[in-house]
Structures are given as structure tokens and as C-alpha cells.
Amino acid sequence: AQSVAQPEDQVNVAEGNPLTVKCTYSVSGNPYLFWYVQYPNRGLQFLLKYITGDNLVKGSYGFEAEFNKSQTSFHLKKPSALVSDSALYFCAVRDGGGADGLTFGKGTHLIIQP
Amino acid sequence: NAGVTQTPKFQVLKTGQSMTLQCAQDMNHEYMSWYRQDPGMGLRLIHYSVGAGITDQGEVPNGYNVSRSTTEDFPLRLLSAAPSQTSVYFCASSYAGQNTEAFFGQGTRLTVV
């Protein structure tokens, strides 16, 4: 069975500082990893994904994520946080050898303080 | 470009009532799925479909039925609503393949009293 862990319920960062939102995963096959963002009362928006290849993946709004196979992690990063980045972030995984649905983490609230 | 459209946006049901949450996509995506979002639990997969006429159960299927008669539509039916089904429901669609990202609707906030 596939699973995702987001160990932090909330991350607080000052505007202009770098941010990291952590994600670890467990799958039996090759992992396909995704990050989504949810603004209040909205659906989820796709940020970026890792399929294969470069371990550093670049996505929307200046976000990037680093895939680490040995640590089974896929942390979301941004060099300089904006207040508008404040939202709920979800990491998700799809097992390359398994079911078609996404398995999501519980989400991390990112709060950027001016 | 409408993307994934869910109706209604809000609904209040009494225990035991039935209803159908509608989901339609105009991107010709093969895959469609339903999730529920509960506080502190992330999104959990209810049912999914890999094409017209094909559906399968996800993590939390009990109390829900689905069918997929066309590529565009994937309705979710609650046969006899229970307070435990109070949640926000999201429909998603994507192209076929494990490496494709899903597109989400705006959600339906359902309250069962």
C-alpha cells in the first residue's frame, strides 16, 4: 500500500526567507510524486511533479521540490517566500505499479508572515 | 475553458436522504475520481474510473455509488446520507497514465444533519 506523511501541520516563515514543506512517502513500485496547493474555499491546484530524471523539479509560482530516493522524501521548497504563498499544501503519491488513485498527505498549512 | 465542474457547491441533507453530486469535465480525460476532504485527514479516495463503463473502489467507498456512462460525467451517489458523510467532496480528472497530474473541481460542501 502507498502512503504519504507530512510531519508538520503548520510551517511559519517570514516573508523573503526560504521555505521548506516536508513530505515523505512509501510505495512498493516506482513513485510518481505531486505537490498541490489549496487556497481557502477552493479546489486543489497542481504545482509540480516528479516522474523520473532530475532530482530537482521546478514548478509553478517559483516553487521547486527535491526528490531523495534514499530518504524517500520529496520536500517542497522556495528560495524567497511571499505572503501570497500562504495556503494549505498537499503532497501526493501514485505507485507506478499499483492503483490509479492518488494518495494524499494530511496537508501542511504554510503561513508567511509579513 | 471550464475544466472540472462540480454541482452543487453547497448542500444540506437530512439523515437518510439520498442525493447525487455531479461532476463534469471537458478536457477529454480518461481518468476521473472522487475524494473527500476532512479536517486533519487530507483527501481520501472514494471511487475512481479509468474510462467509460469502468469504475473501482478507493480507500473509503462505503455509502457511495458511482457510474461512468460517458467520458465527461462521473456522478457520485449517496444512497442514504449519514452524519459521517459530512465533508467537502472533490472531483478530479486526468489523462491516462500514472505520471499525469489531476485537475480538481471547486468542491461540494455537504452537511448531513
Side-chain angles (χ1 to χ4, degrees), chain B residues 18-96:
Chain B
S18 63
M19 80 160 295
T20 299
L21 307 185
Q22 302 291 344
C23 176
Q25 53 94 6
D26 62 359
M27 297 172 281
N28 204 30
H29 286 167
E30 295 89 348
Y31 288 3
M32 295 188 75
S33 51
W34 276 101
Y35 296 86
R36 60 177 288 173
Q37 182 179 20
D38 301 292
M41 301 190 73
L43 279 78
R44 293 179 292 168
L45 181 65
I46 305 171
H47 285 284
Y48 65 96
S49 168
V50 299
I54 306 170
T55 64
D56 206 345
Q57 296 180 352
E59 180 186 354
V60 288
N62 292 341
Y64 308 96
N65 280 352
V66 293
S67 60
R68 183 105 179 263
S69 57
T70 68
T71 299
E72 295 79 17
D73 300 300
F74 190 45
L76 178 72
R77 296 183 187 85
L78 284 71
L79 300 177
S80 179
S84 61
Q85 294 179 305
T86 294
S87 188
V88 181
Y89 292 85
F90 288 100
C91 178
S93 71
S94 66
Y95 289 112

Side-chain angles (χ1 to χ4, degrees), chain A residues 2-112:
Chain A
Q2 57 198 37
S3 66
V4 175
Q6 292 182 242
E8 302 153 318
D9 290 335
Q10 183 170 306
V11 171
N12 295 283
V13 177
E15 186 176 26
N17 283 1
L19 68 88
T20 298
V21 183
K22 295 180 180 177
C23 171
T24 59
Y25 67 90
S26 174
V27 297
S28 56
N30 290 323
Y32 297 109
L33 294 154
F34 304 81
W35 275 102
Y36 287 85
V37 60
Q38 184 181 33
Y39 297 100
N41 301 313
R42 302 293 297 275
L44 277 70
Q45 297 178 29
F46 169 74
L47 278 179
L48 50 79
K49 66 181 177 183
Y50 172 82
I51 303 170
T52 186
D54 287 341
N55 290 340
L56 187 63
V57 178
K58 294 189 183 296
S60 306
Y61 311 120
F63 283 93
E64 57 192 26
E66 187 171 10
F67 173 69
N68 187 315
K69 187 174 183 178
S70 63
Q71 296 184 6
T72 61
S73 66
F74 189 56
H75 300 331
L76 182 70
K77 300 174 185 283
K78 188 173 182 181
S80 179
L82 300 172
V83 173
S84 57
D85 293 330
S86 298
L88 181 59
Y89 290 80
F90 289 100
C91 181
V93 68
R94 188 182 274 141
D95 189 333
D100 295 287
L102 287 165
T103 296
F104 284 85
K106 295 182 178 181
T108 299
H109 284 96
L110 177 63
I111 299 174
I112 309 301

